[in-house]
């Protein structure tokens, strides 16, 4: 029991990304998992005793994940599901660090320095689509979440890894790249350097906006409709159940 409790001992950490700073309290192994999945984030020990922005603890077989920017606490028995909820907490806290920003539910990638954003309802295949782009060697700016600054017409990356449902499959249904992911009970997250994920707090302009429909067909959104479509895919703070 003492060994188990020691493994889950909480420590303070600082996560920084090009000027962003998040204080976190979690076990050492959880900080190591973050360091091996997040792109562009530096994770260092922090001796400060201030209330953390994000906290992850483990008791009685269950992880509890919370952030001080809202009252909701997540509870998970699976480590990778706890990692998923931690990323959501980080995204919401980062939102408070960027004046005028919205949180956008989308995928984003670049080809020949042209930045593409893909929106679509849940279960329309955004993650599978962006995973195939990653496997083709394209740069991935977002798999699920992105910051949008509508008044400035800019977007900022969060450095989050690629997330796939388990088992990880290619478009044709074949198993793929298991060694490049940390597998959980239901989802898997890509390991750092397995794919070309853009570092956190990288700013870019939109070149093309696409929409995936219910038939998983990609359609280009006309420029005149881009702002409205992006607005339709922003996330309200209470809406934290992302897939």
């Amino acid at each position: 029991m003492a060994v188990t409790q020691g493994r889950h001992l909480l420590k303070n950490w600082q996560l920084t990304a090009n000027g962003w700073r998040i204080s976190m309290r979690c076990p050492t192994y959880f900080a190591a998992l973050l360091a091996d999945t997040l792109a562009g984030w530096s994770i260092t020990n922090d001796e400060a005793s201030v209330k953390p922005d994000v906290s992850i603890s483990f008791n009685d077989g269950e992880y509890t994940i919370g952030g001080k920017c809202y009252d909701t606490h997540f509870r998970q028995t699976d480590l990778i599901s706890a990692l998923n909820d931690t990323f959501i907490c980080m995204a919401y806290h980062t939102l408070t660090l960027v004046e005028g920003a919205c949180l956008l539910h989308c995928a984003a990638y670049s080809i020949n320095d042209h930045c593409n954003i893909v929106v679509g309802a849940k279960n329309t295949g955004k993650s599978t689509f962006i995973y195939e782009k990653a496997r083709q060697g394209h740069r991935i700016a977002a798999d699920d979440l992105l910051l949008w600054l509508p008044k400035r017409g800019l977007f900022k990356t969060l450095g989050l890894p690629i997330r796939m449902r388990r088992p990880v499959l290619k478009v044709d249904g074949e198993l793929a790249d298991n060694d490049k992911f940390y597998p959980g009970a239901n989802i898997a997250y890509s390991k750092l350097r397995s794919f070309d994920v853009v570092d956190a707090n990288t700013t870019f302009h939109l070149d093309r906006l696409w929409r995936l429909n219910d038939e998983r067909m990609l359609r280009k959104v006309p420029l005149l409709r881009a702002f409205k479509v992006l607005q339709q895919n922003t996330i309200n703070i209470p809406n934290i159940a992302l897939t």
Side-chain angles (χ1 to χ4, degrees):
M1 178 64 71
V3 173
T4 301
Q5 289 176 340
R7 179 172 181 264
H8 298 295
L9 180 68
L10 299 181
K11 294 186 177 181
N12 294 327
W13 309 87
Q14 282 285 350
L15 281 67
T16 55
N18 192 24
W20 289 346
R21 185 181 298 273
I22 298 176
S23 60
M24 185 174 292
R25 188 165 172 79
C26 67
T28 298
Y29 68 86
F30 203 95
L33 183 59
L34 290 169
D36 202 39
T37 51
L38 290 168
W41 288 92
S42 175
I43 303 176
T44 56
N45 287 112
D46 183 19
E47 299 303 323
S49 58
V50 297
K51 181 179 179 180
D53 301 317
V54 179
S55 61
I56 305 98
S57 60
F58 184 87
N59 291 288
D60 298 326
E62 184 178 71
Y63 291 94
T64 300
I65 308 97
K68 70 179 184 182
C69 60
Y70 53 88
D71 295 330
T72 301
H73 282 76
F74 302 94
R75 288 181 170 80
Q76 300 285 355
T77 56
D78 175 62
L79 174 62
I80 303 304
S81 294
L83 181 68
N84 177 73
D85 292 341
T86 301
F87 290 152
I88 294 174
C89 286
M90 289 180 61
Y92 277 105
H93 185 79
T94 303
L95 186 63
T96 69
L97 305 178
V98 184
E99 185 177 356
C102 305
L103 198 57
L104 194 62
H105 189 200
C106 69
Y109 65 100
S110 67
I111 296 180
N112 299 325
D113 293 326
H114 287 87
C115 296
N116 298 263
I117 292 178
V118 181
V119 298
K122 294 179 181 179
N123 300 318
T124 52
K126 291 190 302 299
S127 290
T128 301
F129 175 84
I130 211 69
Y131 171 52
E132 286 302 309
K133 293 299 180 185
R135 294 185 76 246
Q136 293 165 12
H138 300 303
R139 300 202 75 197
I140 305 303
D143 176 24
D144 197 42
L145 297 172
L146 189 67
L147 293 186
W148 175 37
L149 289 73
K151 290 185 178 180
R152 298 174 60 190
L154 299 174
F155 301 84
K156 284 182 174 289
T157 57
L158 292 166
L160 302 181
I162 295 172
R163 182 182 67 178
M164 295 293 293
R165 291 183 177 87
R166 289 199 68 198
V168 178
L169 303 175
K170 292 188 290 188
V171 172
D172 60 7
E174 294 285 330
L175 288 170
D177 295 330
N178 285 341
D179 60 324
K180 296 182 179 181
F181 286 84
Y182 284 112
N186 300 303
I187 58 175
Y189 268 112
S190 64
K191 299 176 183 179
L192 188 63
R193 292 177 292 275
S194 291
F195 305 101
D196 187 3
V197 177
V198 180
D199 285 350
N201 203 2
T202 299
T203 304
F204 66 93
H205 291 86
L206 172 66
D207 290 303
R208 299 185 184 93
L209 179 63
W210 307 86
R211 189 203 298 269
L212 275 169
N213 60 24
D214 292 340
E215 288 75 38
R216 303 197 173 194
M217 299 294 293
L218 199 64
R219 295 287 184 266
K220 189 174 181 179
V221 176
L223 183 62
L224 291 176
R225 296 192 60 234
F227 186 87
K228 181 177 181 180
V229 171
L230 288 170
Q231 278 189 318
Q232 292 170 345
N233 287 274
T234 56
I235 301 169
N236 296 323
I237 291 297
N239 181 16
I240 53 179
L242 304 178
T243 57

